[in-house]
Amino acid sequence: MTKSVLLIATACTLFIAASCNSKKEKKEEHTKFLITSPIKKDTSITKDYVCNINSFKHIELRALEKGYLKEIHVDEGQLVKKGQKMFNIMPNIYEADLQKAKAEAKVAEIELQNTQLLTDGNVVSKNELAMAKANFDKANAEVSLAQTHLGFTNIRAPFDGIMDHLHAREGSLLDEGELLTTLSDNSKMWVYFNVPEAEYLDYIISTDKDTKKEVQLLMANNKPFNQKGIVETIEGEFNNETGNIAFRATFQNPDQILRHGETGSVLMTIPFKDALIIPQKATFEILDKRFVFVLDQDNVVHQTEVTVAAELPHLFVIGKGLKLSDKILVDGIRMVKNNEKIETKFAEPNEVISKLAVYAE
């Protein structure tokens, strides 16, 4: 008797459980999935590119003559003015060469004068006078050359700038061409950044390509530089290894904050007119391709490939694959299968976007 009661109780329990599962499955079958449409509006994105910061002018100062470094008139990191004396190489030999050249020029001048008198008296021919004149000109050229070499022993700043590290000390024996220091004009800076080929093409065929593009500079401390820059030039060739091409932006540097060799990031704002925008969560990836579920008029979902033109916080700008009139699945994309018919509830795109806590201009 006890076994019969137990069997009946077990059967009732199984029946109740089966009934509950049946109701649950029936309930799940009637789940309404949230759908919406793409929205079209003007927006923009800010892209950042790693950059190298260079001085407008950056040169090496080298010894033009061989000799001992006699005097250093400047210090590392010092701001120097154009024409200011910076280095002096021991000039003794070059001073002696100049005196010798001047003496030889004087002798040539006297010989020319004597030959002129003899020519006037028809004692010597005009050819000898021409020879004396040539010797005189040669001697004067030697004087100019000696003066030039002597001038090379005094090295002056070719422009206003900041001096870098000293590579030689007083008393050092210098060879011709030996590096002394570098000099940087930081009044304005050239900032180079690499742009991928696809973005370069978008930039170069845009309607405002002839307008000077403004960019911002994010310094290494994650703070924005206080001046806007202008994209002034694009290099002539792509890097075959990276597929990038270098852009150059010019930044004024009145407070001398930026120095040659710094790094940072260039921030470029890229506008999108009449962009087609959808929530990121409405998409999914398969083998590096991105898809959405698009509903037809019978509420059947179809897996549709899309291309993403740009990415915003929680949003995608769609390049290809969707129309403004399409209805796309927003929630539950993991719960449906391709070509499956579902029940839906529609929400306006602005309502969906507002719940993402995103501002899209």
Side-chain angles (χ1 to χ4, degrees):
M1 186 70 179
T2 304
K3 288 183 178 180
S4 299
V5 173
L6 183 60
L7 288 171
I8 293 171
T10 303
C12 290
T13 302
L14 292 173
F15 176 77
I16 293 170
S19 177
C20 290
N21 287 336
S22 177
K23 289 181 180 179
K24 184 177 180 182
E25 288 175 2
K26 191 174 181 180
K27 184 178 180 181
E28 286 178 351
E29 287 176 359
H30 294 285
T31 299
K32 289 190 175 182
F33 293 91
L34 180 67
I35 65 171
T36 190
S37 294
I39 188 171
K40 182 178 284 189
K41 58 173 59 180
D42 295 342
T43 187
S44 63
I45 64 169
T46 300
K47 302 208 69 171
D48 64 286
Y49 306 88
V50 176
C51 66
N52 294 315
I53 301 171
N54 296 271
S55 299
F56 165 60
K57 295 179 185 176
H58 179 77
I59 63 167
E60 295 177 339
L61 291 178
R62 295 180 177 271
L64 296 176
E65 297 292 349
K66 183 177 180 179
Y68 286 99
L69 182 55
K70 184 178 179 182
E71 292 176 308
I72 299 176
H73 302 280
V74 288
D75 199 2
E76 297 172 335
Q78 180 180 337
L79 179 63
V80 297
K81 295 294 184 181
K82 181 178 180 179
Q84 182 177 340
K85 184 184 288 187
M86 299 180 69
F87 302 95
N88 181 234
I89 300 171
M90 190 172 288
N92 301 40
I93 296 175
Y94 304 102
E95 287 175 349
D97 285 342
L98 178 60
Q99 294 303 319
K100 178 184 176 182
K102 285 182 176 179
E104 291 176 348
K106 187 64 177 176
V107 171
E109 182 182 7
I110 294 171
E111 289 180 351
L112 176 61
Q113 291 172 351
N114 291 337
T115 305
Q116 181 69 58
L117 292 173
L118 293 173
T119 302
D120 292 342
N122 293 322
V123 177
V124 297
S125 67
K126 291 184 178 180
N127 286 340
E128 291 190 28
L129 177 63
M131 184 68 70
K133 179 67 168 60
N135 288 334
F136 177 66
D137 291 340
K138 179 182 177 182
N140 282 334
E142 293 291 341
V143 171
S144 297
L145 181 61
Q147 287 175 332
T148 300
H149 281 287
L150 181 61
F152 286 162
T153 63
N154 288 319
I155 299 175
R156 299 178 181 273
F159 51 79
D160 295 354
I162 296 177
M163 204 183 103
D164 194 25
H165 177 67
L166 286 169
H167 291 267
R169 298 292 186 269
E170 289 183 1
S172 301
L173 177 60
L174 303 175
D175 288 325
E176 184 178 339
E178 188 166 340
L179 180 63
L180 298 173
T181 188
T182 56
L183 187 66
S184 301
D185 180 355
N186 293 339
S187 59
K188 61 180 179 180
M189 309 300 287
W190 281 351
V191 178
Y192 293 88
F193 58 100
N194 293 320
V195 175
E197 184 175 357
E199 294 176 20
Y200 157 78
L201 291 172
D202 289 339
Y203 176 86
I204 208 68
I205 64 177
S206 62
T207 55
D208 60 346
K209 65 181 179 188
D210 296 326
T211 304
K212 294 292 186 181
K213 183 75 173 178
E214 273 196 355
V215 292
Q216 288 184 307
L217 176 63
L218 193 66
M219 298 183 292
N221 62 355
N222 253 0
K223 294 183 179 179
F225 183 53
N226 58 13
Q227 301 285 328
K228 294 283 185 68
I230 301 294
V231 176
E232 291 188 332
T233 187
I234 304 172
E235 288 191 359
E237 296 182 5
F238 279 88
N239 185 318
N240 291 332
E241 295 180 359
T242 63
N244 295 334
I245 192 169
F247 281 46
R248 190 190 78 198
T250 300
F251 288 80
Q252 298 298 323
N253 189 31
D255 300 324
Q256 301 288 307
I257 294 174
L258 301 179
R259 298 289 178 99
H260 181 84
E262 283 188 74
T263 58
S265 296
V266 167
L267 305 179
M268 181 186 288
T269 301
I270 301 174
F272 285 89
K273 186 171 180 62
D274 293 333
L276 206 63
I277 298 173
I278 65 171
Q280 287 190 19
K281 68 176 186 176
T283 69
F284 57 96
E285 283 187 286
I286 300 176
L287 298 177
D288 296 331
K289 293 183 178 180
R290 195 168 291 276
F291 297 86
V292 296
F293 280 125
V294 178
L295 286 87
D296 62 18
Q297 58 186 3
D298 297 322
N299 277 358
V300 176
V301 295
H302 300 281
Q303 182 176 302
T304 304
E305 183 180 351
V306 296
T307 59
V308 175
E311 183 175 345
L312 298 165
H314 306 293
L315 299 173
F316 282 140
V317 176
I318 299 300
K320 294 179 181 179
L322 286 179
K323 304 187 298 293
L324 187 62
S325 59
D326 285 336
K327 301 292 189 296
I328 60 172
L329 184 64
V330 178
D331 291 330
I333 59 176
R334 297 182 183 275
M335 300 171 60
V336 301
K337 296 179 180 179
N338 193 30
N339 297 321
E340 180 182 354
K341 185 173 183 178
I342 61 174
E343 294 190 18
T344 63
K345 56 180 179 180
F346 181 80
E348 292 294 333
N350 284 324
E351 180 185 348
V352 174
I353 289 176
S354 66
K355 291 181 179 178
L356 298 173
V358 172
Y359 172 74
E361 185 175 352

